[in-house]
């Protein structure tokens, strides 16, 4: 179908007057055509008062239970594409070391939160990456979020021993502690330190030579003793984490 | 819908909380809205049990898609209602294919009821609302066609049949009615 009169199409779509195939075409087009998406949103809100005239009806007492059951069957973060992403940074660390990870629900909440944050923030991250480097593109960008899903930092990994961390929120660091940035190039290799962060300052890091960063590679910032982790692996609480995306 | 009303219903905040994985936010949306959403779905699928099925599936979608909601794409309520309406329309389409004969018989039985629903939605619109005022300016048949489509989920063919118009005529009346409505509400 053609998208010449987007307002007429938006109305037909909202009224359910399109054939299923055209409906799918509209949905696909909406994803890349902001004008059409806005026209559909406007049409929805235009007709919404008619829905508001519907008198609420009593629903079955089991309806919410049915929804909850279905939600439990739905894999956490149904939009997940990478199956590996909930891999903990340090497989050797006992789960008790981090109360967050001790609870599967918390883990899936986090995972979901990380995805929400990522989705909302990727555009911004891409913009940052662009202004920061101008000529050189990072190979991957990771938006790091805290457990509540709030964006804390962006890591841009340029490969060839260069990465930049931009802090986007005031992370609280006690005087005897330091922030350390990690990535997980592969399970076999385990977590590798990219470097230490100055107190709440965006920093250019000089990580060791590592395999080329991949899509969905894990990055995180932990709180470590001053001078960095004594073991060479993350030992402190996770302040923020996120998964790399390849800039498009 | 007035901007103040949109912001005041707090549904946008609940959707953001869902996107962060807060299941209680989904429950709060359910507690507040399930009754009306079921009623909206029932106007389209015509049966309470099917309407609940629609709402059940819609809440799964609300949960998994909440991160896609953005305020620059209209109100949170409009977004939530769209998910319910889409599911209801799809169920209706699937059902149409499966048991046409039965559906026609039931349709005939419920015909009077259904038209009541459609017209009562219009009658219940706030007299001061823009939508009401603009629908009022439309010629009766055009208004009815638009209401049948939005409120009752009728297809072009069904509307043409009910209004005793040739299909092409019904389509072009609805198209012109919608254009006039957009202009009036702009």
């Amino acid at each position: 179908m053609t998208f010449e009169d987007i307002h007429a199409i938006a109305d037909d779509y909202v009224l359910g007057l399109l054939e299923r195939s055209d409906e799918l075409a509209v949905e696909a087009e909406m994803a890349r055509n902001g004008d059409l998406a806005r026209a559909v949103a406007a049409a929805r809100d235009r007709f919404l008062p008619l829905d508001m005239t519907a008198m609420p009806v009593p629903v079955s007492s089991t309806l919410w239970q049915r929804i909850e059951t279905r939600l439990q069957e739905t894999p956490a973060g149904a939009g997940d594409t990478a199956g590996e992403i909930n891999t903990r940074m340090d497989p050797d660390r006992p789960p008790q070391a981090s109360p967050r990870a001790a609870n599967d629900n918390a883990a899936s909440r986090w995972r979901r939160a990380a995805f929400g944050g990522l989705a909302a923030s990727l555009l911004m991250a891409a913009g940052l990456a662009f202004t920061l480097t101008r000529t050189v593109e990072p190979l991957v960008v990771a938006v790091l979020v805290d457990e509540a899903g709030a964006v804390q930092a962006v890591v841009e990994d340029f490969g060839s021993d260069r990465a930049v961390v931009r802090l986007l929120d005031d992370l609280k660091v006690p005087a005897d502690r330091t922030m350390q940035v990690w990535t997980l190039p592969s399970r076999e290799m385990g977590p590798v330190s990219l470097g230490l962060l100055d107190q709440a300052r965006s920093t250019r890091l000089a990580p060791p030579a590592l395999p080329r960063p991949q899509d969905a590679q894990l990055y995180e910032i932990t709180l470590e003793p001053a001078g960095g982790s004594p073991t060479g692996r993350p030992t402190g609480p996770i302040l923020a984490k996120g998964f790399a995306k390849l800039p498009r | 819908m007035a901007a103040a009303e949109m912001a005041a219903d707090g549904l946008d905040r609940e959707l953001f909380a869902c996107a962060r994985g807060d299941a209680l936010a989904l429950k709060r949306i359910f507690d507040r809205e399930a009754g009306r959403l079921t009623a909206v779905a029932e106007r389209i699928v015509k049966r309470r049990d099917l309407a609940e099925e629609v709402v059940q599936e819609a809440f799964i979608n609300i949960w998994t898609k909440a991160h896609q909601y953005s305020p620059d794409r209209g109100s949170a309520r409009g977004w939530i209602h769209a998910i319910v309406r889409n599911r209801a329309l799809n169920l209706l389409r699937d059902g149409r294919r499966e048991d046409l004969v039965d559906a026609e018989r039931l349709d005939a039985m419920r015909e009077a009821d259904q038209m009541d629903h459609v017209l009562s939605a219009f009658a219940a619109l706030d007299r001061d609302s823009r939508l009401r005022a603009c629908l009022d300016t439309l010629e009766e048949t055009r208004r009815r066609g638009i209401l049948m489509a939005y409120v009752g989920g009728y297809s072009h063919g069904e509307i043409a049949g009910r209004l005793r118009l040739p299909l092409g005529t019904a389509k072009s009346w609805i198209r012109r009615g919608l254009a006039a409505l957009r202009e009036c509400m702009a």
Side-chain angles (χ1 to χ4, degrees):
Chain A
M1 72 187 293
T2 58
F3 294 93
E4 279 161 22
D5 189 348
I6 57 169
H7 297 286
I9 291 170
D11 274 353
D12 281 352
Y13 174 74
V14 167
L15 266 66
L17 287 170
L18 297 178
E19 296 295 326
R20 185 68 185 141
S21 56
D22 284 341
E23 217 169 76
L24 292 173
V26 168
E27 281 160 14
E29 179 73 10
M30 271 166 66
R32 56 176 175 263
N33 184 337
D35 289 342
L36 180 64
R38 275 183 290 278
V40 167
R44 279 177 187 155
D45 284 342
R46 206 155 51 232
F47 288 100
L48 199 52
L50 282 167
D51 280 359
M52 299 307 280
T53 65
M55 292 299 287
V57 294
V59 298
S60 308
S61 54
T62 58
L63 181 55
W64 175 252
Q65 287 161 23
R66 280 183 273 153
I67 291 170
E68 266 194 321
T69 308
R70 283 291 315 278
L71 283 174
Q72 278 153 15
E73 290 163 8
T74 309
D80 287 2
T81 47
E84 303 284 297
I85 41 132
N86 62 342
T87 314
R88 287 174 40 71
M89 192 59 97
D90 183 355
D92 299 325
R93 187 157 46 151
Q96 297 89 310
S98 161
R100 288 168 190 164
N103 178 326
D104 274 344
N105 285 335
S108 67
R109 267 206 307 279
W110 177 306
R111 197 146 65 116
R112 203 181 280 284
F115 271 93
L118 265 179
S121 320
L122 266 171
L123 258 181
M124 181 192 72
L128 269 179
F130 180 75
T131 54
L132 209 61
T133 61
R134 286 187 184 82
T135 51
V136 187
E137 287 267 339
L139 297 174
V140 298
V141 178
V143 179
L144 310 192
V145 299
D146 66 12
E147 195 169 15
V151 174
Q152 300 293 322
V154 177
V155 176
E156 298 146 275
D157 198 336
F158 295 82
S160 15
D161 317 338
R162 199 156 79 83
V164 172
V165 180
R166 300 273 287 191
L167 295 178
L168 301 174
D169 209 337
D170 293 325
L171 292 164
K172 299 271 176 299
V173 183
D176 58 340
R177 295 295 176 111
T178 185
M179 286 184 281
Q180 193 158 6
V181 188
W182 306 86
T183 190
L184 187 66
S186 69
R187 272 189 178 183
E188 294 70 35
M189 196 173 236
V192 179
S193 173
L194 296 178
L196 302 178
L197 282 187
D198 281 350
Q199 287 286 99
R201 274 244 316 272
S202 300
T203 306
R204 200 169 285 262
L205 303 170
L210 291 171
R212 188 182 169 89
Q214 301 294 312
D215 195 28
Q217 184 167 322
L218 180 58
Y219 288 80
E220 71 178 30
I221 300 175
T222 62
L223 200 55
E224 300 291 346
S229 162
T231 67
R233 298 267 162 145
T235 61
I238 299 167
L239 297 177
K241 68 177 185 179
F243 304 95
K245 286 291 231 182
L246 304 172
R248 301 290 190 264
Chain B
M1 184 167 233
E5 198 181 334
M6 252 170 70
D9 70 17
L11 284 173
D12 52 348
R13 281 198 307 277
E14 301 292 20
L15 283 181
F16 296 144
C18 285
R20 290 195 305 268
D22 179 356
L24 291 176
L26 189 73
K27 179 67 161 68
R28 286 193 295 270
I29 298 175
F30 179 88
D31 288 342
R32 272 180 50 190
E33 304 294 336
R36 173 146 45 217
L37 292 172
T38 304
V40 168
E42 192 177 348
R43 282 170 166 180
I44 297 171
V45 299
K46 328 284 197 266
R47 269 171 45 187
R48 178 71 51 85
D49 58 333
L50 293 180
E52 285 197 358
E53 210 175 284
V54 164
V55 169
Q56 177 188 321
E57 294 307 309
F59 269 83
I60 309 297
N61 280 354
I62 291 168
W63 177 250
T64 55
K65 292 182 177 175
H67 65 276
Q68 295 174 6
Y69 170 69
S70 151
D72 64 350
R73 296 285 186 265
S75 70
R77 179 179 294 285
W79 187 86
I80 289 169
H81 280 233
I83 287 179
V84 171
R85 301 179 56 82
N86 280 350
R87 291 216 70 101
L89 288 168
N90 284 337
L91 186 80
L92 201 61
R93 289 195 188 106
D94 296 345
R96 265 179 205 143
R97 273 196 298 274
E98 277 165 20
D99 48 2
L100 258 180
V101 179
D102 197 31
E104 268 174 24
R105 193 166 50 82
L106 291 177
D107 268 0
M109 273 165 51
R110 297 207 173 94
E111 191 59 43
D113 265 10
Q114 286 310 309
M115 285 312 275
D116 278 356
H117 264 310
V118 166
L119 298 179
S120 71
F122 172 62
L125 277 176
D126 186 343
R127 294 217 155 261
D128 301 331
S129 83
R130 194 83 177 261
L131 181 62
R132 170 69 187 246
C134 289
L135 281 169
D136 263 332
T137 65
L138 296 185
E139 187 270 322
E140 165 80 23
T141 314
R142 292 180 191 190
R143 176 169 67 232
R144 201 173 271 214
I146 290 170
L147 291 169
M148 285 173 76
Y150 185 83
V151 180
Y154 289 85
S155 67
H156 276 130
E158 289 166 331
I159 294 168
R162 304 299 189 281
L163 298 180
R164 299 173 202 290
L165 294 168
L167 180 59
T169 309
K171 279 188 179 178
S172 80
W173 281 25
I174 290 171
R175 193 181 315 126
R176 279 186 234 148
L178 287 170
L181 199 58
R182 280 198 303 276
E183 199 170 316
C184 175
M185 292 186 74

PDB file of all heavy atoms in Angstrom, chain B residues 47 94-104 106:
ATOM      1  N   ARG B  47     -19.384 -10.653  23.160  1.00  0.00           N
ATOM      2  CA  ARG B  47     -19.607 -11.645  24.230  1.00  0.00           C
ATOM      3  C   ARG B  47     -18.659 -11.361  25.383  1.00  0.00           C
ATOM      4  O   ARG B  47     -17.473 -11.126  25.171  1.00  0.00           O
ATOM      5  CB  ARG B  47     -19.336 -13.060  23.686  1.00  0.00           C
ATOM      6  CG  ARG B  47     -20.572 -13.725  23.110  1.00  0.00           C
ATOM      7  CD  ARG B  47     -20.245 -15.013  22.405  1.00  0.00           C
ATOM      8  NE  ARG B  47     -19.331 -15.877  23.144  1.00  0.00           N
ATOM      9  CZ  ARG B  47     -18.828 -16.995  22.620  1.00  0.00           C
ATOM     10  NH1 ARG B  47     -19.130 -17.368  21.393  1.00  0.00           N
ATOM     11  NH2 ARG B  47     -18.006 -17.733  23.323  1.00  0.00           N
ATOM     12  N   ASP B  94     -10.881 -13.516  12.986  1.00  0.00           N
ATOM     13  CA  ASP B  94     -10.636 -14.960  13.000  1.00  0.00           C
ATOM     14  C   ASP B  94     -11.957 -15.702  13.120  1.00  0.00           C
ATOM     15  O   ASP B  94     -12.194 -16.691  12.453  1.00  0.00           O
ATOM     16  CB  ASP B  94      -9.718 -15.342  14.161  1.00  0.00           C
ATOM     17  CG  ASP B  94      -8.343 -14.713  13.990  1.00  0.00           C
ATOM     18  OD1 ASP B  94      -8.065 -14.251  12.869  1.00  0.00           O
ATOM     19  OD2 ASP B  94      -7.570 -14.679  14.971  1.00  0.00           O
ATOM     20  N   GLY B  95     -12.825 -15.193  14.013  1.00  0.00           N
ATOM     21  CA  GLY B  95     -14.114 -15.847  14.252  1.00  0.00           C
ATOM     22  C   GLY B  95     -14.992 -15.822  13.024  1.00  0.00           C
ATOM     23  O   GLY B  95     -15.686 -16.787  12.727  1.00  0.00           O
ATOM     24  N   ARG B  96     -14.937 -14.726  12.282  1.00  0.00           N
ATOM     25  CA  ARG B  96     -15.766 -14.589  11.086  1.00  0.00           C
ATOM     26  C   ARG B  96     -15.512 -15.723  10.113  1.00  0.00           C
ATOM     27  O   ARG B  96     -16.416 -16.241   9.501  1.00  0.00           O
ATOM     28  CB  ARG B  96     -15.442 -13.281  10.372  1.00  0.00           C
ATOM     29  CG  ARG B  96     -16.367 -12.158  10.743  1.00  0.00           C
ATOM     30  CD  ARG B  96     -15.961 -10.902  10.018  1.00  0.00           C
ATOM     31  NE  ARG B  96     -16.407  -9.747  10.770  1.00  0.00           N
ATOM     32  CZ  ARG B  96     -15.727  -8.619  10.880  1.00  0.00           C
ATOM     33  NH1 ARG B  96     -14.561  -8.503  10.285  1.00  0.00           N
ATOM     34  NH2 ARG B  96     -16.191  -7.621  11.573  1.00  0.00           N
ATOM     35  N   ARG B  97     -14.237 -16.064   9.986  1.00  0.00           N
ATOM     36  CA  ARG B  97     -13.900 -17.122   9.040  1.00  0.00           C
ATOM     37  C   ARG B  97     -14.389 -18.470   9.533  1.00  0.00           C
ATOM     38  O   ARG B  97     -14.864 -19.279   8.767  1.00  0.00           O
ATOM     39  CB  ARG B  97     -12.386 -17.170   8.832  1.00  0.00           C
ATOM     40  CG  ARG B  97     -11.927 -16.244   7.753  1.00  0.00           C
ATOM     41  CD  ARG B  97     -10.535 -16.594   7.309  1.00  0.00           C
ATOM     42  NE  ARG B  97      -9.583 -16.458   8.405  1.00  0.00           N
ATOM     43  CZ  ARG B  97      -8.997 -15.301   8.715  1.00  0.00           C
ATOM     44  NH1 ARG B  97      -9.252 -14.243   8.023  1.00  0.00           N
ATOM     45  NH2 ARG B  97      -8.160 -15.242   9.717  1.00  0.00           N
ATOM     46  N   GLU B  98     -14.286 -18.710  10.833  1.00  0.00           N
ATOM     47  CA  GLU B  98     -14.550 -20.040  11.381  1.00  0.00           C
ATOM     48  C   GLU B  98     -16.013 -20.448  11.328  1.00  0.00           C
ATOM     49  O   GLU B  98     -16.350 -21.509  10.832  1.00  0.00           O
ATOM     50  CB  GLU B  98     -14.040 -20.138  12.819  1.00  0.00           C
ATOM     51  CG  GLU B  98     -12.558 -20.459  12.869  1.00  0.00           C
ATOM     52  CD  GLU B  98     -11.968 -20.192  14.243  1.00  0.00           C
ATOM     53  OE1 GLU B  98     -12.754 -20.142  15.212  1.00  0.00           O
ATOM     54  OE2 GLU B  98     -10.748 -20.039  14.325  1.00  0.00           O
ATOM     55  N   ASP B  99     -16.874 -19.632  11.880  1.00  0.00           N
ATOM     56  CA  ASP B  99     -18.278 -20.079  11.921  1.00  0.00           C
ATOM     57  C   ASP B  99     -19.202 -18.979  11.400  1.00  0.00           C
ATOM     58  O   ASP B  99     -19.909 -18.337  12.146  1.00  0.00           O
ATOM     59  CB  ASP B  99     -18.677 -20.512  13.326  1.00  0.00           C
ATOM     60  CG  ASP B  99     -18.263 -19.476  14.369  1.00  0.00           C
ATOM     61  OD1 ASP B  99     -17.705 -18.432  13.977  1.00  0.00           O
ATOM     62  OD2 ASP B  99     -18.529 -19.717  15.547  1.00  0.00           O
ATOM     63  N   LEU B 100     -19.114 -18.815  10.104  1.00  0.00           N
ATOM     64  CA  LEU B 100     -19.871 -17.752   9.459  1.00  0.00           C
ATOM     65  C   LEU B 100     -21.370 -17.898   9.662  1.00  0.00           C
ATOM     66  O   LEU B 100     -22.073 -16.944   9.964  1.00  0.00           O
ATOM     67  CB  LEU B 100     -19.564 -17.744   7.962  1.00  0.00           C
ATOM     68  CG  LEU B 100     -18.597 -16.653   7.504  1.00  0.00           C
ATOM     69  CD1 LEU B 100     -18.370 -16.746   6.020  1.00  0.00           C
ATOM     70  CD2 LEU B 100     -19.124 -15.279   7.885  1.00  0.00           C
ATOM     71  N   VAL B 101     -21.845 -19.126   9.470  1.00  0.00           N
ATOM     72  CA  VAL B 101     -23.288 -19.347   9.518  1.00  0.00           C
ATOM     73  C   VAL B 101     -23.812 -18.998  10.901  1.00  0.00           C
ATOM     74  O   VAL B 101     -24.749 -18.224  11.073  1.00  0.00           O
ATOM     75  CB  VAL B 101     -23.613 -20.823   9.198  1.00  0.00           C
ATOM     76  CG1 VAL B 101     -25.120 -21.051   9.265  1.00  0.00           C
ATOM     77  CG2 VAL B 101     -23.074 -21.180   7.808  1.00  0.00           C
ATOM     78  N   ASP B 102     -23.130 -19.559  11.893  1.00  0.00           N
ATOM     79  CA  ASP B 102     -23.522 -19.320  13.261  1.00  0.00           C
ATOM     80  C   ASP B 102     -23.459 -17.823  13.568  1.00  0.00           C
ATOM     81  O   ASP B 102     -24.361 -17.259  14.167  1.00  0.00           O
ATOM     82  CB  ASP B 102     -22.567 -20.091  14.179  1.00  0.00           C
ATOM     83  CG  ASP B 102     -23.157 -20.232  15.572  1.00  0.00           C
ATOM     84  OD1 ASP B 102     -24.389 -20.289  15.661  1.00  0.00           O
ATOM     85  OD2 ASP B 102     -22.385 -20.264  16.537  1.00  0.00           O
ATOM     86  N   ALA B 103     -22.378 -17.229  13.110  1.00  0.00           N
ATOM     87  CA  ALA B 103     -22.179 -15.812  13.406  1.00  0.00           C
ATOM     88  C   ALA B 103     -23.303 -14.988  12.795  1.00  0.00           C
ATOM     89  O   ALA B 103     -23.791 -14.041  13.414  1.00  0.00           O
ATOM     90  CB  ALA B 103     -20.826 -15.353  12.865  1.00  0.00           C
ATOM     91  N   GLU B 104     -23.727 -15.372  11.611  1.00  0.00           N
ATOM     92  CA  GLU B 104     -24.796 -14.600  10.966  1.00  0.00           C
ATOM     93  C   GLU B 104     -26.103 -14.698  11.745  1.00  0.00           C
ATOM     94  O   GLU B 104     -26.819 -13.727  11.910  1.00  0.00           O
ATOM     95  CB  GLU B 104     -25.012 -15.094   9.533  1.00  0.00           C
ATOM     96  CG  GLU B 104     -24.173 -14.310   8.544  1.00  0.00           C
ATOM     97  CD  GLU B 104     -24.273 -14.879   7.151  1.00  0.00           C
ATOM     98  OE1 GLU B 104     -25.286 -15.546   6.850  1.00  0.00           O
ATOM     99  OE2 GLU B 104     -23.328 -14.656   6.369  1.00  0.00           O
ATOM    100  N   LEU B 106     -26.386 -15.358  14.943  1.00  0.00           N
ATOM    101  CA  LEU B 106     -26.237 -14.581  16.176  1.00  0.00           C
ATOM    102  C   LEU B 106     -26.308 -13.093  15.885  1.00  0.00           C
ATOM    103  O   LEU B 106     -26.928 -12.341  16.622  1.00  0.00           O
ATOM    104  CB  LEU B 106     -24.912 -14.932  16.858  1.00  0.00           C
ATOM    105  CG  LEU B 106     -24.851 -16.339  17.431  1.00  0.00           C
ATOM    106  CD1 LEU B 106     -23.472 -16.606  18.007  1.00  0.00           C
ATOM    107  CD2 LEU B 106     -25.917 -16.541  18.500  1.00  0.00           C
TER     108      LEU B 106
END
